[in-house]
Amino acid sequence: MTPVILLAAEKKSAEVTDWAARIGWVVGLALFVALVYWLMREGWKWRGTLQGDLPELPTRPSPTTLDRGGEPPLPGMPESPGAAKLTMSGRYHGSTTAGQWLDRIVARGLGTRSRAELTLTDAGLDVVRPGASDFFVPVAALREARLDKGIAGKVLTEGGLLVVTWAHGDKLIDSGFRSDHAAEHTTWVETLNDMINKTETEGAR
């Protein structure tokens, strides 16, 4: 066999070996990604199971949910929520145990990030989430509002998040929202805290 033929045969063999190595590397990477995804999904399900004692999220009619099949008013609440004090369009970034920004709550759909439409009335805070579970926070359940930069593993610029602390069952929850117009956040914090202080003052009488 001539040297030219031998050289060509060796080159062809090297190309085949190279392709086999590439295919093996791609398959290995795909299997690794699939494993990571599976572990994340199982972790999510496990966390949801641990949080299974979280009560159903309250919903009620409001200016934004009346035409979405809202439920009757909660006991002791007015038939009408009253005029909207504030409205906001933006994103819901998740909820955590209050004060623990990485302890994410996934039960009752609270772990699903989504678009959100917020409406604040005298009755409370109404959160409408297209494609995810809506929920309503009665004014008596509101505890605090503040500006922050991170929640549920999501980090934004300083003051880039409106975080609302509220009580549900025996748990205090932090829920994070970002308006399409971040300049609105300060007004929301001030208005929410004014409402909370007023409610606490009236309750202490």
Side-chain angles (χ1 to χ4, degrees):
M1 186 175 292
T2 66
V4 174
I5 296 175
L6 286 172
L7 185 61
E10 289 175 0
K11 184 177 180 181
K12 185 174 182 179
S13 176
E15 289 177 352
V16 171
T17 302
D18 189 45
W19 274 109
R22 290 182 183 180
I23 292 172
W25 185 85
V26 170
V27 170
L29 180 61
L31 289 174
F32 175 75
V33 171
L35 176 62
V36 171
Y37 176 79
W38 180 81
L39 288 173
M40 289 175 62
R41 182 170 179 173
E42 289 301 303
W44 186 281
K45 289 166 62 178
W46 175 74
R47 183 177 286 268
T49 299
L50 290 180
Q51 298 169 353
D53 59 343
L54 190 72
E56 289 285 346
L57 300 179
T59 59
R60 71 181 302 281
S62 76
T64 53
T65 59
L66 275 173
D67 59 351
R68 294 169 58 89
E71 297 178 1
L74 297 169
M77 296 190 66
E79 288 289 334
S80 171
K85 290 177 174 291
L86 292 172
T87 60
M88 176 195 295
S89 294
R91 292 199 64 82
Y92 166 78
H93 282 288
S95 293
T96 65
T97 300
Q100 302 180 38
W101 79 286
L102 289 176
D103 187 15
R104 189 170 188 175
I105 297 174
V106 303
R108 308 302 182 192
L110 288 176
T112 304
R113 292 189 173 117
S114 64
R115 290 288 302 172
E117 299 289 333
L118 275 62
T119 303
L120 181 66
T121 67
D122 286 332
L125 177 64
D126 186 42
V127 183
V128 175
R129 300 193 296 153
S133 302
D134 299 345
F135 61 95
F136 177 79
V137 183
V139 65
L142 292 168
R143 293 293 180 267
E144 180 192 17
R146 69 180 188 275
L147 297 180
D148 214 322
K149 64 179 181 179
I151 194 166
K154 181 71 174 181
V155 180
L156 299 171
T157 56
E158 190 68 43
L161 276 175
L162 166 67
V163 177
V164 179
T165 303
W166 53 291
H168 186 48
D170 59 358
K171 198 174 189 68
L172 277 181
I173 298 173
D174 280 346
S175 293
F177 306 92
R178 180 172 175 81
S179 172
D180 291 337
H181 306 286
E184 298 178 337
H185 289 172
T186 300
T187 301
W188 272 81
V189 169
E190 293 173 351
T191 304
L192 278 163
N193 285 329
D194 283 346
M195 286 180 63
I196 292 166
N197 291 335
K198 181 180 178 182
T199 301
E200 289 177 348
T201 300
E202 291 176 348
R205 290 176 181 174

